[in-house]
């Protein structure tokens, strides 16, 4: 501090806003959306219900949910021109970069989504992106597979339609597996919001300049892409695969993770807020056993993950630093069992986090929060004279 400004790297002890959306208790491992326990929501709700509760404040009645879904379906068409942007990307482009670009590009095709001051204008922008985002997610995956771009069906539920759009093949009827549908519902619910994490704070600060909702979400997608944040779910599987290739030698990776001279971190471990356990990781770990069992998938990676968790929980370095598995540690194992490619794991995180980002952006706008503009402590040069380039 310089007596006026206090620096708080990574905002570890800085509150950026008040919010009534999500409650976390890092010591007790508590997570609630709008007062509902995450354990209840993951078990008993479906994703669209939870999205409604996050955005509008309460779990919906049947009528409210039906209208929300109808309005979303009415807005689930993406302008054909957007396909030209998608086509311009190389096949090996990372889907998070594609998704961030296409989400921002939607602004050009939906100009009324930018200047939204009334709740009604916000609602119209919200149902547009809730309808179009799953299409962009599916198209991003289908492009990599060389499949034709499609729309699924208005007869399907929200999550069923995501599966249909992602997996249907041109020449066969896609059968929605209820195990896969329930697993995806649960995973999307568990990722739906998490108070002021890096990507949500990004959505809020970009939205605080009154940039449109889609531009703010595009920024959030970019923040989520990082391996220290949502990108961790892909990095976890790459790490577990490397350990498997190494003959399952977790000790070598534990040593690397503790070696200060080595930038490697144990992906899927640690959290800024949870210092005992991440309640989502507990639910996902249990679901991983159930889903792989129900699908009859044998994946040695799951055993390696459990072995690594056991080793880390007994390791003094990790215990001292309160490092536990987080939401990203087991989720990729389920995505893979569902047939989702590893480079799409963080896109699935974004699909889950979408309603949370929307809810936080809407709260920030309705609260008429001021534009985000932190200060600094200057540590550069004092005043000095200009020199012509010939004299430098
Ligand atoms: C998500 O914020 C959210 O809510 C995020 C999220 C959400 O829902 O939005 O929960 C989703 O992003 C989960 C986190 C996914 N990221 C990873 O799994 C990447 C690996 N984790 C770390 O990079 C780290 O734990 C963070 C980024 C998650 C948290 O970093 P912090 O709070 O800044 O902690 P830190 O870097 O200050 O670490 C404290 C100490 C350090 O050691 P010392 O310098 O004190 O000796 O713990 C060490 C770190 O080196 N450490 C790790 C480690 N995480 C922290 N050492 C090895 N492996 C790790 N994973």
């Amino acid at each position: 501090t310089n007596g006026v400004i206090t620096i708080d790297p990574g905002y570890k002890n800085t509150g950026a806003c008040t919010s009534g959306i999500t409650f976390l208790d890092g010591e007790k491992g508590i997570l609630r959306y709008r007062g509902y326990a995450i354990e209840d929501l993951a078990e008993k709700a479906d994703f669209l219900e939870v999205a409604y509760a996050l955005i509008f404040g309460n779990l919906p009645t049947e009528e409210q949910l039906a209208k929300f879904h109808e309005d979303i379906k009415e807005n689930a068409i993406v302008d054909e021109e957007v396909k030209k942007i998608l086509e311009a990307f190389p096949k090996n482009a990372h889907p998070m970069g594609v998704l961030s670009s296409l989400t921002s590009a939607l602004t050009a095709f939906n100009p009324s989504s930018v200047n939204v001051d009334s709740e009604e204008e916000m609602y119209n922008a919200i149902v547009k992106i809730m309808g179009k985002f799953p299409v962009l997610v599916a198209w991003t995956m289908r492009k990599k597979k060389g499949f034709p771009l499609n729309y699924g069906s208005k007869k399907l539920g929200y999550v069923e339609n995501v599966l249909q759009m992602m997996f249907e093949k041109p020449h066969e009827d896609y059968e929605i597996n209820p195990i896969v549908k329930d697993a995806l519902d649960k995973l999307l619910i568990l990722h739906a919001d998490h108070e002021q994490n890096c990507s949500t704070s990004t959505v809020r600060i970009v939205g605080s300049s009154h940039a449109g909702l889609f531009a703010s979400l595009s920024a959030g997608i970019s923040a989520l892409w990082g391996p220290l944040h949502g990108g961790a779910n892909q990095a976890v599987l790459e790490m577990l695969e490397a350990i498997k290739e190494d003959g399952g030698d977790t000790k070598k990776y534990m040593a690397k993770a503790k070696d200060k001279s080595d930038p490697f971190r144990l992906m899927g471990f640690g959290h800024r807020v949870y210092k005992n356990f991440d309640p989502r990781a507990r639910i996902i770990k249990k679901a991983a056993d159930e889903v792989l069992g129900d699908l009859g998938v044998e994946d040695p990676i799951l055993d390696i993950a459990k072995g690594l968790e056991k080793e880390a929980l007994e390791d003094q370095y990790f215990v001292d630093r309160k490092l536990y598995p987080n939401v990203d540690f087991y989720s990729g194992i389920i995505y893979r069992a569902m047939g989702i490619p590893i480079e799409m794991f963080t896109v699935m995180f974004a699909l889950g986090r979408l309603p949370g980002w929307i809810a936080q952006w809407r709260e920030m706008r309705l609260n008429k929060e001021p534009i985000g503009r932190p200060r600094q402590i200057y540590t550069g040069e004092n005043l000095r004279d200009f020199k012509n380039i010939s004299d430098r």
Side-chain angles (χ1 to χ4, degrees), residues 386-392:
F386 181 86
K387 271 189 190 160
N388 292 327
I389 192 160
S390 54
D391 301 330
R392 289 176 204 157

Side-chain angles (χ1 to χ4, degrees), residues 266-277:
L266 212 56
M267 301 317 279
F269 270 80
H271 198 275
R272 174 63 57 74
V273 178
Y274 290 126
K275 296 305 174 191
N276 277 315
F277 64 92

Side-chain angles (χ1 to χ4, degrees), residues 125-240:
I126 288 167
V127 292
K128 278 190 173 70
I129 194 66
M130 283 295 290
K132 298 175 197 309
F133 197 76
V135 178
L136 299 182
V137 165
W139 285 3
T140 308
M141 178 162 144
R142 297 179 76 85
K143 171 187 170 88
K144 287 189 89 71
K145 290 190 160 182
F147 284 177
L149 305 181
N150 59 345
Y151 272 104
S153 158
K154 290 178 80 166
K155 299 190 192 73
L156 293 172
Y158 191 82
V159 168
E160 286 90 339
N161 197 38
V162 168
L163 289 169
Q164 175 91 17
M165 289 192 289
M166 286 174 71
F167 290 106
E168 73 177 345
K169 293 197 180 82
H171 57 335
E172 68 185 27
D173 293 336
Y174 176 70
E175 277 290 302
I176 289 169
N177 180 331
I179 297 161
V180 170
K181 186 262 173 194
D182 289 345
L184 185 54
D185 243 327
K186 184 174 284 189
L187 283 168
L188 295 177
I189 288 168
L190 290 167
H191 286 82
D193 193 50
H194 216 236
E195 57 133 277
Q196 304 312 312
N197 60 85
C198 178
S199 55
T200 300
S201 300
T202 303
V203 170
R204 274 182 171 258
I205 202 162
V206 170
S208 73
S209 74
H210 289 195
L213 171 57
F214 304 169
S216 306
L217 293 171
S218 172
I221 294 165
S222 295
L224 188 71
W225 190 359
L228 296 187
H229 192 11
N233 62 11
Q234 174 177 345
V236 166
L237 256 289
E238 287 161 351
M239 172 185 75
L240 294 172

Side-chain angles (χ1 to χ4, degrees), residues 12 24 193-194 197-199 227-230 232 257-258 260 264-272 275 278 280 317-318 321 323 326-328 349 353:
K12 293 194 173 191
L24 297 191
D193 193 50
H194 216 236
N197 60 85
C198 178
S199 55
L228 296 187
H229 192 11
K258 297 187 283 188
K260 287 294 168 208
F264 173 77
R265 288 191 155 187
L266 212 56
M267 301 317 279
F269 270 80
H271 198 275
R272 174 63 57 74
K275 296 305 174 191
D278 182 334
R280 301 167 297 177
Y317 178 97
F318 278 72
R321 290 164 178 78
L323 302 177
N326 58 48
V327 67
D328 293 311
F349 192 145
R353 187 53 51 92

Side-chain angles (χ1 to χ4, degrees), residues 239-251:
M239 172 185 75
L240 294 172
E241 283 289 351
I243 293 174
K244 191 177 92 179
E245 294 315 306
D246 251 350
D249 172 15
T250 52
K251 294 218 176 317

